Amino acid sequence: MFRDFEPIGDRPVYIQLKDYMKLIIIKGALQPHQKLPSTRELGVQMKLSRNTVISAYAELEEDGFIYAVRGKGNYVAAVSGGTATQACQIDWLDRINDHARLAEQLDLMKHGIRAQKGTISFTSIAPDETLFDIGNVKRAFKDRMSVEGDVLLNYGYAKGYKPLMDFLLRYMQHKGVDLKGNDILITNGFTEGLDIVLSALGKRSGRVLCENPTHYTAIKNFKLHGFQITGIPMEDDGISLTELERALSEQPYDCAYFVPSYHNPTGIVMSPKKRQELMSLMNQYGIPVIEDGFNEELRYTGSHVSPLMAGAGNGNSVIYLGSFSKVLFPGIRVGWILADAELIDYLESIKRARTIHTSTLDQSVLYQYLHNGNLEKYLKKARTEYKRKYELTMQCCKEHIPYAQLSGHGGLHLFVTFDIGFDTRELLELCSELGVIFTPGDIFFTDNRGSNTMRLGFSRVTDEDIIRGIKMIGDTARQLME
């Protein structure tokens, strides 16, 4: 006995020994009231220091797994073991509901492309972790913990951490948004924000409008919430207003979802003129607008374009979903909903019922990082690097890929459209055998179109792999066209 114990990693050995002995006691390998070896004996037997064994025994006694008899030694306590009752096998596939089945079917992490080791992957549009501002994040953590660490480690408020909420309200005001009548709710990133909003909206028609193509996560959530999706084609400067007006005149909609800046997946930035006309049209039909502030900060050229919510003036029809996930750190799951105060009141209650609150520690560290003025410095560095990669990727696409159309005004990806009839799924299959993968564009379309499109995410790909990978994709595409 005790011969199979092998300490691993840098976790304290006495804790590993304590956990090991707990397990063998629970399994019944050590019987109740059985005497344990002395600390010296066990240390010699297991090639551990006596102090390690003493610490482990003390922890086991504290947890009620052993007891000490003065002058005699340590004994195994009579703990409740893991003796099983008569086995019961549930057929969980028979118990799973349609919502869970649909979620599993739409789960790209399970059913999408898997990158093997060494593969050049253009599938991600997450930020490049080599740019992460680790030093200032550590400083922000220490600063905030020194001020109110005891508060941050306790329960927080469903609505959010007030210093961060106040900062984000000012942040949105500087984007041109009129805050009068609006309020904010902190969420676990964009996805939870969209899920909460869709949970709160009543289904009068059960239909939602969006751009076509659009963000796959949005499509997935619309389907999971039971909405029928009407996708409106994109033009070079954003959604087609002619097609949008036609759709609005034909049937009612419960809401619309738009990504006006660095649209996912096309990368298109909606023109200021079209934003104004879009909002006039939506106001005319009284349709609530969910605005996804995706990648607004990753502008490489041109002037700032205000969000749709800024064009709403003192109206309350726009629900803005914000997040720094693609700009700063996805690991800090913090996003926000800015909307009419009365709506936020209900969304707060849904949030509280589901997750109680977003991690106060995460919120406070983000707040301190932003408060210290680090966002502006980080964005300057990130924009410089991403712009360079963007221009390199654009140049490589123009040189090597026989596309019909190439779009992307900024952000972390480009969208490639081939001639009608070309199959990017077939291209992906051949490319993956060569060690390069991308995201086929059909997943972003609401109407089974897009089989001739693909998205290229370049943020986490090295220069060498961008050049080599795009050339491989282009050469393979030309072979398929022959």
Side-chain angles (χ1 to χ4, degrees), residues 185-198:
L185 173 71
I186 304 297
T187 63
N188 291 312
F190 158 80
T191 305
E192 188 193 40
L194 179 60
D195 182 49
I196 288 175
V197 169
L198 294 179

Side-chain angles (χ1 to χ4, degrees), residues 162-360:
K162 193 171 188 310
L164 178 63
M165 293 164 62
D166 291 342
F167 183 97
L168 291 173
L169 286 169
R170 292 193 302 272
Y171 181 76
M172 293 303 298
Q173 191 173 37
H174 294 156
K175 287 177 177 283
V177 175
D178 185 351
L179 298 180
K180 187 177 180 181
N182 289 319
D183 204 352
I184 196 166
L185 173 71
I186 304 297
T187 63
N188 291 312
F190 158 80
T191 305
E192 188 193 40
L194 179 60
D195 182 49
I196 288 175
V197 169
L198 294 179
S199 298
L201 292 181
K203 289 190 179 70
R204 298 181 177 184
S205 67
R207 286 186 288 270
V208 61
L209 273 168
C210 64
E211 294 133 326
N212 191 30
T214 193
H215 191 181
Y216 179 74
T217 297
I219 292 176
K220 180 167 62 174
N221 272 275
F222 295 146
K223 290 182 176 179
L224 286 172
H225 281 277
F227 284 97
Q228 296 179 33
I229 308 170
T230 297
I232 307 300
M234 295 284 285
E235 296 174 340
D236 290 343
D237 62 345
I239 193 169
S240 168
L241 295 180
T242 302
E243 290 298 316
L244 176 61
E245 187 165 17
R246 182 187 59 77
L248 287 168
S249 66
E250 291 178 348
Q251 55 190 0
Y253 294 90
D254 293 323
C255 64
Y257 166 80
F258 302 124
V259 191
S261 296
Y262 311 112
H263 175 266
N264 186 11
T266 66
I268 290 171
V269 176
M270 190 183 299
S271 67
K273 182 174 182 293
K274 181 162 281 190
R275 290 178 191 231
Q276 187 176 13
E277 293 172 350
L278 170 66
M279 287 309 301
S280 295
L281 195 55
M282 301 309 292
N283 292 342
Q284 177 186 333
Y285 283 88
I287 307 294
V289 171
I290 302 172
E291 179 179 10
D292 184 352
F294 181 83
N295 275 356
E296 276 183 352
E297 287 71 22
L298 292 183
R299 172 180 52 83
Y300 305 141
T301 58
S303 58
H304 167 76
V305 182
S306 297
L308 298 176
M309 194 173 201
N314 58 5
N316 69 347
S317 63
V318 180
I319 303 167
Y320 183 94
L321 302 180
S323 167
F324 289 127
S325 291
K326 295 296 185 289
V327 179
L328 284 175
F329 322 115
I332 296 181
R333 302 303 303 147
V334 176
W336 67 93
I337 305 172
L338 183 65
D340 178 77
E342 192 172 16
L343 174 60
I344 289 292
D345 189 51
Y346 286 94
L347 300 185
E348 177 190 354
S349 295
I350 295 175
K351 166 75 177 177
R352 183 178 288 110
R354 289 186 173 180
T355 58
I356 303 180
H357 65 86
T358 296
S359 164
T360 309

Side-chain angles (χ1 to χ4, degrees), residues 385-428:
E385 176 62 9
Y386 292 141
K387 179 184 179 184
R388 190 186 61 74
K389 281 190 174 183
Y390 164 81
E391 290 173 346
L392 175 62
T393 306
M394 181 75 76
Q395 178 186 342
C396 289
C397 286
K398 289 178 178 178
E399 287 182 8
H400 300 296
I401 295 182
Y403 59 81
Q405 184 178 357
L406 180 65
S407 65
H409 299 157
L412 304 174
H413 62 278
L414 294 175
F415 196 65
V416 180
T417 303
F418 293 91
D419 289 328
I420 297 295
F422 188 84
D423 186 356
T424 53
R425 289 276 178 179
E426 184 181 0
L427 175 63
L428 176 61

Side-chain angles (χ1 to χ4, degrees), residues 46 67 114 125 138 156 236 268 294 341 346 449 461:
M46 303 185 76
Y67 63 93
R114 291 294 181 92
I125 56 171
K138 288 181 179 178
D236 290 343
I268 290 171
F294 181 83
Y346 286 94
R449 298 185 187 182
V461 189

